[in-house]
Amino acid sequence: MTDVHGTVEPGFESVREVFAGIAANEARDGGAQLAVHHRGRLVVDLWGGDGVDGDSLLGLYSSSKGVMALIAALLVQDGVLDLDREVASWWPQFAAEGKERITLRQLLAHRAGLIGADGGLSAEEIADDRLIAARLAGQRPFWEPDTGHGYHALVIGALVGEVVLRATGRTVQELYEERIRAPYALDYHLGLPEELEPRFRTALPALPTPAEQAFLAENPVAPDSFMAIAFNLHADPPFDNVEYANSRAVRVRAPLSGGGIGTARGLSRMYAAIAGELDGRPPLLTPGILAEFARIRSEGTDLVTGSENAFGLGFVPLATRHPSLGPTAIGHSGAPGSQAFADPSTGLSYSYARRRFGFMAGPGAPENDRLIPAVVEAAESV
């Protein structure tokens, strides 16, 4: 990626310079988009790379967990969901194998221990939240619930989505379309319409350096590890992360753990509706509900990834990794290295989207560490 296109508002020129530097130095990345809203205005709208423009629809993978968390937060705000109610009270089958006391709060905080299925999930199951939920209803947890946390990478959307369906009679996808996507005209889709398929750009695999290849060879994922189970690597065949978004079945059914398709512009606009007023409407979440979902609920060593991380309720608290952001900054990353968030303290929303997978970039590609401080500094100057 060498040429940078798009616009920035006065005061945000430095963000374009940082983005251009990333484009010049990381030519193998296959294209990227960056969109930033400030107090409801689109102030940064940049893109570059072969085949990628501002309207290209990309697989943003786990960014859809942020949508799931937003719908859950809205339903708590409405009084429809109770965070401290047992999941099995909505979904009786879930009580099997010692799961009867797991609460919605524990589930959203990645503390349920229900990270996958014995023997793995099939390709058909991975593409369909209802099939995942049916399979996991009878599954034993992989650790004692609420004794630790681990990233429920491919299943948390299906589990929370089943609770929402049983509590409301509607899917998260339906509620998102009616309450958020359509009213705000968002170019981020949970279920990609066929007429938008020509705008979709396939995800591209990582291109590891020799040193990165050596690291992977020296640190294989054990087939019986929590990492293998959570990412369905113990299935036959193992889960293919790149081909996941490239599957039309995934794009149509939009499994909530990673099946959303959209532009950086669309996802930034969704978070703008959390960060502050947008289109004359008040923020989607009240300060109390925002604080409830942003507060760190799980922190320390992740039992799945082995890394040090933190989770709020569905969302990831971003200030733990990006100290320039405020304490209620919430969002979620995506496997290629994408990152998106709302920061109500500054009125900022942000979405960076990559087409090609970065090396081990699931928590957000390293370029976010340069882009986010530049965005915050620019916002403080205008």
Side-chain angles (χ1 to χ4, degrees):
M1 184 173 79
T2 54
D3 295 329
V4 172
H5 306 276
T7 60
V8 296
E9 282 202 358
F12 288 84
E13 294 87 354
S14 59
V15 178
R16 184 186 185 104
E17 292 174 8
V18 175
F19 187 78
I22 291 167
N25 294 325
E26 300 183 23
R28 298 187 309 158
D29 71 0
Q33 302 167 335
L34 175 66
V36 178
H37 286 76
H38 185 223
R39 297 176 182 147
R41 299 191 329 273
L42 182 64
V43 295
V44 175
D45 186 19
L46 299 173
W47 62 87
D50 287 344
V52 172
D53 60 30
D55 294 321
S56 296
L57 296 169
L58 304 177
L60 299 182
Y61 287 78
S62 288
S63 296
S64 60
K65 293 183 175 76
V67 182
M68 170 209 74
L70 176 55
I71 292 297
L74 287 170
L75 293 173
V76 171
Q77 185 169 277
D78 294 344
V80 175
L81 294 180
D82 179 345
L83 291 169
D84 293 312
R85 185 171 160 182
E86 289 83 3
V87 170
S89 68
W90 292 289
W91 179 11
Q93 298 89 334
F94 185 82
E97 297 290 339
K99 302 193 299 299
E100 65 277 357
R101 299 183 65 182
I102 294 173
T103 65
L104 179 58
R105 186 188 300 275
Q106 293 163 359
L107 180 59
L108 283 164
H110 295 261
R111 300 183 66 82
L114 198 61
I115 53 174
D118 292 323
L121 296 160
S122 68
E124 182 183 15
E125 287 171 327
I126 284 291
D128 191 322
D129 281 341
R130 298 304 310 283
L131 295 179
I132 294 174
R135 180 78 180 278
L136 294 190
Q139 173 66 45
R140 63 178 176 84
F142 287 89
W143 63 83
E144 183 67 26
D146 206 33
T147 60
H149 75 278
Y151 188 37
H152 291 47
L154 296 177
V155 302
I156 193 169
L159 296 172
V160 175
E162 190 71 16
V163 172
V164 169
L165 178 62
R166 293 186 178 238
T168 68
R170 313 297 302 282
T171 66
V172 168
Q173 291 88 339
E174 289 169 337
L175 292 170
Y176 168 69
E177 179 67 24
E178 294 173 9
R179 297 188 63 168
I180 303 172
R181 200 212 64 79
Y184 289 98
L186 304 183
D187 201 11
Y188 179 78
H189 307 270
L190 293 183
L192 189 65
E194 187 174 357
E195 62 269 22
L196 298 184
E197 275 290 325
R199 292 171 51 202
F200 174 69
R201 300 292 178 265
T202 54
L204 301 174
L207 296 173
T209 65
E212 291 166 346
Q213 289 176 324
F215 175 86
L216 294 174
E218 293 166 5
N219 296 275
V221 177
D224 59 347
S225 66
F226 286 169
M227 174 80 86
I229 294 164
F231 288 90
N232 210 44
L233 301 179
H234 64 317
D236 185 17
F239 178 66
D240 187 329
N241 210 2
V242 176
E243 288 309 309
Y244 178 75
N246 293 341
S247 162
R248 176 63 183 157
V250 167
R251 296 198 297 278
V252 170
R253 297 189 183 115
L256 294 171
S257 291
I261 305 293
T263 62
R265 193 187 296 142
L267 199 53
S268 178
R269 185 167 165 80
M270 185 196 83
Y271 278 107
I274 300 174
E277 291 187 5
L278 182 64
D279 297 345
R281 298 181 177 99
L284 284 169
L285 301 179
T286 65
I289 292 295
L290 176 66
E292 183 76 9
F293 274 72
R295 188 176 300 120
I296 293 175
R297 304 292 178 174
S298 296
E299 189 174 22
T301 303
D302 187 300
L303 295 174
V304 168
T305 67
S307 62
E308 299 298 305
N309 61 15
F311 291 103
L313 296 179
F315 296 109
V316 174
L318 269 296
T320 58
R321 177 167 177 177
H322 301 286
S324 61
L325 300 178
T328 57
I330 52 172
H332 214 289
S333 59
S338 59
Q339 182 63 272
F341 64 81
D343 185 2
S345 68
T346 59
L348 282 167
S349 65
Y350 169 104
S351 179
Y352 174 72
R354 288 175 57 112
R355 183 180 182 190
R356 184 179 296 283
F357 274 61
F359 178 70
M360 299 180 69
E367 52 263 41
N368 288 289
D369 296 336
R370 286 176 277 168
L371 289 166
I372 291 172
V375 166
V376 173
E377 184 177 352
E380 290 173 345
S381 70
V382 298

